[in-house]
Amino acid sequence: MLPPVSPLSTILLIFGGCCSNVFTLEAIIKSEPSSGLLITFFQFVFTALASYPTQFSPGSPYSVAPPTVPLRRWAFIAAMFFSINMLNNWAFAFSISVPMHIILRSFSSVTTMIMGVIRGKRYSALQILSVVLLTLGVLVSAWADSEGKGKSMSLGNEASSSDFSTGLAILLLAQLLSAWMGAYVEDTYTMYKASWTENLFYSHIFSLPLFLPLSRSLREQYVKLAATPPLGLQEGSKQQSLGAVSVSGIFLGILGNTGESLPQGILFLLVNVITQLACISGVNLLSSKSSAVTVTIILNIRKLVSFIISTLVFGHELSAKMVLGSALVFGSGALYGFETSWRLPAARRRKEALTNAKAVGSMEKRR
């Protein structure tokens, strides 16, 4: 049983872990764009091992305590979680840049609302407007990113256009599944009063067997990353981009001699799985104490920070359309958060206070 974690620690885990995770993810993708499967596998293995001690049975080390949630329910959540992570990382193989990936994943406010409507929830006019603006922002951003890819890969390349459309479709499917899983996990916490560490452990350990049919691809991707040059060699090369050199310099300054000898792909992979554990721990902590909508808002803000870091560190060129699309996405997310987390709750509190005052006044009149 872990001690209680403060809200500040939760936010630090989300922003520190997730933002640095995106940093290392882009460093890997720049070296080997098709490494999504390997990244996902290492993240799942490391998180499963790290969360295993949290499930020890009292007085019996190394044996797992009985879960509070039926195993079949954890298995279903694990299958959804595995599918979403696979789809998100697979999209990188289809000409989707990291900034574009971040923006499209901010589409979760739309999918969360769709799922809420299906579950019988009602939304205010301002919430609906914010989602319409967010949808427009995603479309503008996708258009801008597609134009940028066309310039760099030659115009009229139908294969490239098809790849980009496939990547967009994959990310959209991942967001729909993520919204469904968010609602399902929220119901699980409510019904069974489950611990976030239990979710962390079972959602990862039950996913590992699903990688077995993909073992050959995992080996091939690992070999490619192991063949990448050490950071010291990359730092000395004048043919590297400004962003890559900046990343190399940062890691060399932290790691010293270790960074000079270890293949950069493997080094980034190891740092990625550690930061992913911090990120997913923060998200699970937040999910266990907050609604799916609140989680979506916090994660959208985090994605904005990641977007800024990715743009500054890796030197992405942002067109006017991309800036407009990004502003619409993150601005509408802030509007949605204001309406959902502040204005509507405040209106409900005022209504409840007024109702209570009327009830008290009615009782006094009877006297």
Side-chain angles (χ1 to χ4, degrees):
M1 189 75 177
L2 292 179
V5 180
S6 68
L8 178 59
S9 298
T10 301
I11 296 300
L12 288 175
L13 282 171
I14 292 174
F15 281 83
C18 298
C19 292
S20 54
N21 183 258
V22 170
F23 180 86
T24 55
L25 172 64
E26 183 155 11
I28 297 171
I29 297 302
K30 287 177 75 71
S31 299
E32 290 294 337
S34 62
S35 301
L37 175 61
L38 186 68
I39 295 169
T40 306
F41 175 70
F42 267 78
Q43 288 176 348
F44 276 55
V45 169
F46 185 80
T47 303
L49 291 174
S51 59
Y52 171 56
T54 67
Q55 301 305 304
F56 285 167
S57 179
S60 179
Y62 311 119
S63 63
V64 177
T68 58
V69 177
L71 289 179
R72 63 181 179 276
R73 193 175 184 92
W74 281 138
F76 182 63
I77 290 174
M80 285 193 290
F81 185 63
F82 172 83
S83 301
I84 292 164
N85 277 272
M86 289 294 292
L87 289 169
N88 280 329
N89 284 335
W90 186 29
F92 286 116
F94 294 92
S95 301
I96 299 292
S97 68
V98 170
M100 188 67 236
H101 194 275
I102 294 169
I103 290 171
L104 286 172
R105 291 184 68 178
S106 299
F107 198 63
S108 54
S109 295
V110 178
T111 53
T112 300
M113 180 173 284
I114 293 172
M115 190 56 57
V117 171
I118 293 172
R119 288 158 57 88
K121 294 184 178 181
R122 300 178 64 182
Y123 296 93
S124 69
L126 199 56
Q127 286 175 314
I128 295 171
L129 174 62
S130 67
V131 167
V132 170
L133 291 175
L134 189 145
T135 305
L136 179 62
V138 168
L139 292 175
V140 171
S141 300
W143 180 20
D145 199 58
S146 180
E147 283 186 342
K149 289 291 190 299
K151 291 175 184 176
S152 61
M153 296 186 297
S154 79
L155 292 169
N157 188 332
E158 293 182 4
S160 297
S161 176
S162 176
D163 278 354
F164 184 75
S165 299
T166 302
L168 293 181
I170 289 171
L171 283 176
L172 178 58
L173 176 59
Q175 294 314 296
L176 291 171
L177 284 175
S178 182
W180 184 25
M181 187 185 78
Y184 193 80
V185 169
E186 184 181 343
D187 290 344
T188 300
Y189 283 129
T190 302
M191 291 168 58
Y192 298 98
K193 310 300 179 186
S195 165
W196 68 273
T197 56
E198 187 175 318
N199 181 17
L200 192 67
F201 174 69
Y202 284 105
S203 62
H204 287 81
I205 198 70
F206 280 172
S207 298
L208 293 181
L210 300 176
F211 286 97
L212 288 175
L214 307 168
S215 57
R216 181 175 179 180
S217 296
L218 286 170
R219 286 195 299 269
E220 291 174 352
Q221 291 181 18
Y222 182 84
V223 168
K224 288 181 179 179
L225 281 186
T228 55
L231 282 181
L233 179 60
Q234 185 193 44
E235 181 72 8
S237 173
K238 294 184 179 180
Q239 297 180 349
Q240 299 294 329
S241 68
L242 177 61
V245 172
S246 299
V247 173
S248 301
I250 291 170
F251 274 88
L252 282 176
I254 296 172
L255 299 169
N257 294 334
T258 304
E260 292 182 356
S261 58
L262 197 65
Q264 59 167 315
I266 301 301
L267 177 60
F268 290 144
L269 181 62
L270 294 176
V271 177
N272 180 270
V273 298
I274 294 171
T275 54
Q276 173 69 7
L277 175 61
C279 175
I280 199 68
S281 296
V283 172
N284 275 277
L285 265 169
L286 186 64
S287 299
S288 67
K289 299 176 181 179
S290 309
S291 68
V293 172
T294 300
V295 174
T296 299
I297 294 163
I298 296 296
L299 294 185
N300 271 349
I301 297 172
R302 192 276 302 169
K303 287 166 191 171
L304 172 60
V305 176
S306 296
F307 178 85
I308 294 170
I309 291 173
S310 175
T311 301
L312 293 177
V313 173
F314 291 92
H316 294 289
E317 293 184 7
L318 299 182
S319 65
K321 288 192 185 74
M322 181 66 85
V323 172
L324 173 62
S326 304
L328 285 170
V329 168
F330 298 120
S332 60
L335 181 63
Y336 188 86
F338 164 79
E339 176 74 354
T340 304
S341 296
W342 189 83
R343 199 193 71 82
L344 288 179
R348 280 195 296 268
R349 287 192 296 270
R350 287 194 298 269
K351 185 177 180 180
E352 290 172 0
L354 182 61
T355 302
N356 292 336
K358 287 181 178 179
V360 171
S362 178
M363 290 176 63
E364 290 179 349
K365 285 181 181 179
R366 291 195 193 102
R367 291 175 185 174

